Amino acid sequence: MSVNVHASHTEKELDLSNAGRGVWLVKVPKYIANKWEKAPGNIEVGKLKITKHPGQKAEVSLKLSEAVLALKEPGEGEIPKQHRLDVTTVTRQMLGVFSHVAPTASSDAIIPETEKLFMEGRIVQKLECRPYADNCYMKLKLESIKRASVPQRQVQQLDRVVQNFKPVSDHKHNIEYAEKKKAEGKKMRDDKDAVLDMLFAAFEKHQYYNIRDLVKITRQPIVYLKEILNEVCNYNLKNPHRNMWELKPEYRHYKEDEKSVESTSKKGNDSEDD
């Protein structure tokens, strides 16, 4: 029996001949998985033992083979040989095991082979492999904790100058900022009357200024400048001149206004003469 599996890029056939077969899903510790990956395909990796007692749940155990235990790297310690398997029955899930066979590149068949997909069976039980807490396992766990506690980065003492790690006394942007600050000099408070003269001269040119422009014009500390501005200026909080300073009415003296007043006064005198 087979069905078509539709994918976004290709269409393959799924062989369901073994769909009714029950299989176990076994979770093993990492040290066992590493041994089994190194093992060649022609050796026995272990034996599974199922012990049944009347009226009790079956006991499942795993015993690793001597051939697998002998697959050790230099300096690698012993691993536990005996393990128990905790069994859980799968009832509310539909899980399956699938495999695929890729076509060989050197096939001389008239009709080219396609990738074959197989359902190997339906998972009916989950088993978790657990070691017994003996001296061998405790030693293995201790070594694992020691390896995990070793920091990935360590301090290394250098016996010569290495250009890649040579520190700099100061960074370029810090040097440029210090030179600019030194060139401009520290802003000193001028006499209040001198500051007022600069402000009145500026407000003869424009009616409104923001604080940044007034700091540039007077070159005074901003706190000191605001103290003087509060005496002779109003701070606008509404549009269209929001956040800008304007002279108080009693200090305003604009040349354009003077011309306008003189022109109005002259016309009034003419009308009286008429």
Side-chain angles (χ1 to χ4, degrees):
M1 179 182 178
S2 64
V3 296
N4 291 333
V5 177
H6 295 277
S8 59
H9 60 285
T10 184
E11 183 176 301
K12 302 181 180 65
E13 287 191 351
L14 175 62
D15 192 322
L16 300 177
S17 302
N18 296 322
R21 181 170 62 180
V23 296
W24 289 1
L25 177 64
V26 183
K27 180 181 178 181
V28 299
K30 189 175 181 179
Y31 60 84
I32 295 181
N34 292 337
K35 294 285 186 182
W36 285 354
E37 287 180 359
K38 298 175 185 177
N42 57 350
I43 69 169
E44 180 184 279
V45 296
K47 289 185 178 181
L48 197 66
K49 182 180 179 181
I50 303 176
T51 305
K52 294 183 178 180
H53 302 283
Q56 297 181 6
K57 194 174 181 179
E59 296 179 359
V60 185
S61 60
L62 173 67
K63 180 180 179 182
L64 298 178
S65 66
E66 295 295 337
V68 168
L69 295 174
L71 299 173
K72 293 194 302 182
E73 298 291 337
E76 186 179 357
E78 300 287 341
I79 65 171
K81 185 177 182 179
Q82 297 283 352
H83 298 76
R84 74 176 190 274
L85 282 84
D86 297 335
V87 183
T88 304
T89 304
V90 179
T91 56
R92 297 184 179 182
Q93 288 180 303
M94 181 64 70
L95 304 174
V97 178
F98 299 87
S99 64
H100 73 279
V101 178
T104 57
S106 60
S107 177
D108 297 331
I110 299 176
I111 301 176
E113 295 183 359
T114 59
E115 183 179 6
K116 297 180 181 179
L117 303 177
F118 299 88
M119 183 174 183
E120 300 296 342
R122 181 173 56 87
I123 296 174
V124 294
Q125 285 184 329
K126 292 181 180 180
L127 293 89
E128 188 165 357
C129 183
R130 299 179 182 274
Y132 294 98
D134 54 9
N135 292 334
C136 182
Y137 174 72
M138 291 302 177
K139 186 178 180 180
L140 178 68
K141 195 66 178 177
L142 180 61
E143 294 296 327
S144 175
I145 294 174
K146 287 182 179 179
R147 287 194 301 269
S149 62
V150 176
Q152 296 182 354
R153 297 183 179 183
Q154 297 181 354
V155 177
Q156 182 180 1
Q157 185 176 358
L158 304 177
D159 56 355
R160 56 187 177 84
V161 177
V162 180
Q163 296 297 330
N164 293 340
F165 300 94
K166 186 177 180 180
V168 293
S169 58
D170 204 350
H171 294 284
K172 182 180 179 182
H173 62 276
N174 291 336
I175 296 173
E176 292 176 351
Y177 175 77
E179 291 178 351
K180 181 180 179 182
K181 187 174 181 180
K182 185 178 180 181
E184 292 180 353
K186 185 178 180 181
K187 294 177 181 177
M188 300 296 293
R189 290 190 175 194
D190 290 337
D191 182 71
K192 183 178 178 180
D193 292 337
V195 178
L196 286 173
D197 290 340
M198 288 187 284
L199 289 174
F200 290 143
F203 279 106
E204 285 185 0
K205 300 177 182 178
H206 300 285
Q207 186 175 356
Y208 301 96
Y209 284 92
N210 59 44
I211 190 65
R212 292 191 301 272
D213 291 335
L214 292 175
V215 168
K216 291 179 181 178
I217 293 170
T218 61
R219 297 183 59 82
Q220 298 300 302
I222 189 169
V223 176
Y224 176 58
L225 179 60
K226 282 186 176 181
E227 292 177 0
I228 300 175
L229 286 172
N230 286 324
E231 294 181 10
V232 299
C233 292
N234 291 327
Y235 184 69
N236 291 293
L237 298 176
K238 297 182 180 180
N239 290 326
H241 303 291
R242 186 178 181 183
N243 301 331
M244 300 187 78
W245 294 87
E246 176 188 17
L247 284 176
K248 291 181 179 180
E250 58 267 30
Y251 295 105
R252 294 175 189 172
H253 182 69
Y254 304 117
K255 293 181 179 179
E256 293 181 0
D257 292 348
E258 288 180 353
K259 293 179 180 179
S260 177
V261 171
E262 291 176 359
S263 176
T264 304
S265 175
K266 185 177 181 181
K267 289 181 180 179
N269 293 334
D270 293 342
S271 60
E272 289 178 357
D273 295 337
D274 294 341

